[in-house]
């Protein structure tokens, strides 16, 4: 009952491991770091995945499609910690171009962003391709082509908005995961975000920290899914909420 009363006041309780620190302190210290890294990764994901998915759909059955889908399959199947380890080995140890840990400079963001966004880029590119291919078979697309509109206008003005609906759906949980931190990636690159605090709390059996961060993530996930539902109205005018 005391814990639930604290939740009503947005107090997630004290840390079992660190005296004088609360779970709110961990979140207030770690969330800004994770959120900044997550926002940069989100921009990176959108800028790479959507053009790749559109290209694969337009060049369906050609070598461009096969190349993009091969990369996407590798990105989905290879775990993020394997990608992170390979990037550190090549660009940090062998080439000595990028740092192995921390976010002290812009170079420090490059490897974590690539490792963190690899899976999402691959998944969203595949989803964008399949969704756009499905939309391009619709009658209104054939009608637009019969009216003499260019292929570029058909895709950008008619097909793309409807094809984005499944992508927007998956972006909600993706954004929640990115902004609250990737546990594995932050641990590998020694980034002081929520992921590191969560992993440490599990290893040290800091139960209030585990519960508090889980509640925070669950709440954030619900908010992002709600915002995704609101974005549907902007993309598809046929969707209205009474």
């Amino acid at each position: 009952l005391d814990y639930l009363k604290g939740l009503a006041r947005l107090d997630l309780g004290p840390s079992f491991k660190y005296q004088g620190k609360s779970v709110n302190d961990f979140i207030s210290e770690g969330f800004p770091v994770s959120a900044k890294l997550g926002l940069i990764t989100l921009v990176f994901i959108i800028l790479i995945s959507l053009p790749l998915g559109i290209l694969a759909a337009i060049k369906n059955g050609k070598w461009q499609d096969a190349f993009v889908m091969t990369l996407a399959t590798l990105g989905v199947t290879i775990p993020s910690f394997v990608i992170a380890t390979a990037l550190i080995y090549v660009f940090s140890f062998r080439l000595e171009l990028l740092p192995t840990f921390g976010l002290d400079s812009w170079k420090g963001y490059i490897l974590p962003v690539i490792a963190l966004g690899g899976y999402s880029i691959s998944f969203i590119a595949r989803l964008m391709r399949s969704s756009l291919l499905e939309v391009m078979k619709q009658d209104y697309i054939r009608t637009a082509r019969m009216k003499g509109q260019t292929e570029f206008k058909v895709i950008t003005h008619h097909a793309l908005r409807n094809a984005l609906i499944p992508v927007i759906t998956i972006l909600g949980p993706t954004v929640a995961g990115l902004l609250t931190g990737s546990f594995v990636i932050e641990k590998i690159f020694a980034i002081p975000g929520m992921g590191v605090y969560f992993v440490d709390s599990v290893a040290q059996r800091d139960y209030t920290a585990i519960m508090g961060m889980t509640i925070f993530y669950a709440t954030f996930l619900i908010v992002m899914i709600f915002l995704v539902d609101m974005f549907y109205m902007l993309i598809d005018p046929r969707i209205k909420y009474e």
Side-chain angles (χ1 to χ4, degrees):
L1 289 175
D2 288 339
Y3 186 77
L4 292 177
K5 290 177 183 177
L7 285 181
R9 301 191 303 270
L10 303 180
D11 180 8
L12 297 173
S15 168
F16 278 5
K17 182 65 178 180
Y18 300 98
Q19 292 186 359
K21 297 207 70 172
S22 67
V23 181
N24 292 51
D25 295 332
F26 293 147
I27 295 176
S28 62
E29 293 172 5
F31 180 68
V33 178
S34 297
K36 184 178 180 180
L37 177 63
L39 285 174
I40 295 174
T41 306
L42 177 63
V43 174
F44 174 69
I45 290 171
I46 294 174
L47 291 179
I48 300 298
S49 63
L50 295 186
L52 285 179
I54 295 171
L55 175 64
I58 295 175
K59 301 295 183 179
N60 182 33
K62 300 181 180 179
W63 70 267
Q64 295 94 332
D65 180 26
F67 177 72
V68 171
M69 287 301 99
T70 300
L71 291 180
T73 302
L74 290 175
V76 170
T77 53
I78 300 176
S80 60
F81 63 86
V82 175
I83 297 176
T85 305
L87 290 173
I88 291 175
Y89 176 75
V90 173
F91 292 100
S92 298
F93 291 136
R94 301 294 294 182
L95 300 179
E96 298 183 356
L97 295 176
L98 299 172
T100 58
F101 63 90
L103 301 175
D104 298 329
S105 67
W106 63 270
K107 289 184 178 180
Y109 285 90
I110 296 177
L111 296 185
V113 165
I114 296 175
L116 191 56
Y119 174 83
S120 297
I121 288 174
S122 304
F123 186 83
I124 293 175
R126 292 170 64 91
L127 183 61
M128 184 74 238
R129 173 186 178 272
S130 60
S131 179
L132 187 57
L133 285 175
E134 185 66 28
V135 170
M136 295 295 283
K137 299 176 183 178
Q138 301 300 317
D139 292 337
Y140 68 90
I141 298 296
R142 286 193 288 266
T143 303
R145 285 171 173 163
M146 290 174 63
K147 289 181 178 180
Q149 296 185 5
T150 63
E151 192 68 13
F152 177 80
K153 189 173 182 180
V154 168
I155 293 173
T156 56
H157 285 64
H158 301 283
L160 195 56
R161 291 182 66 178
N162 288 328
L164 280 174
I165 292 179
V167 176
I168 295 297
T169 302
I170 201 65
L171 275 179
T174 300
V175 171
L178 291 175
L179 297 188
T180 52
S182 170
F183 306 149
V184 176
I185 298 301
E186 289 187 358
K187 189 68 175 178
I188 291 175
F189 290 98
I191 298 172
M194 283 187 60
V196 171
Y197 287 126
F198 189 88
V199 172
D200 290 342
S201 66
V202 172
Q204 297 168 357
R205 299 185 180 182
D206 194 347
Y207 299 117
T208 50
I210 297 173
M211 287 193 298
M213 293 185 187
T214 303
I215 291 171
F216 179 82
Y217 172 75
T219 304
F220 199 82
L221 178 61
I222 292 171
V223 171
M224 293 310 304
I225 293 175
F226 174 76
L227 291 178
V228 165
D229 288 341
M230 296 297 103
F231 277 123
Y232 286 155
M233 291 188 297
L234 300 177
I235 297 175
D236 192 343
R238 296 172 299 177
I239 299 176
K240 301 293 182 183
Y241 294 108
E242 297 294 339

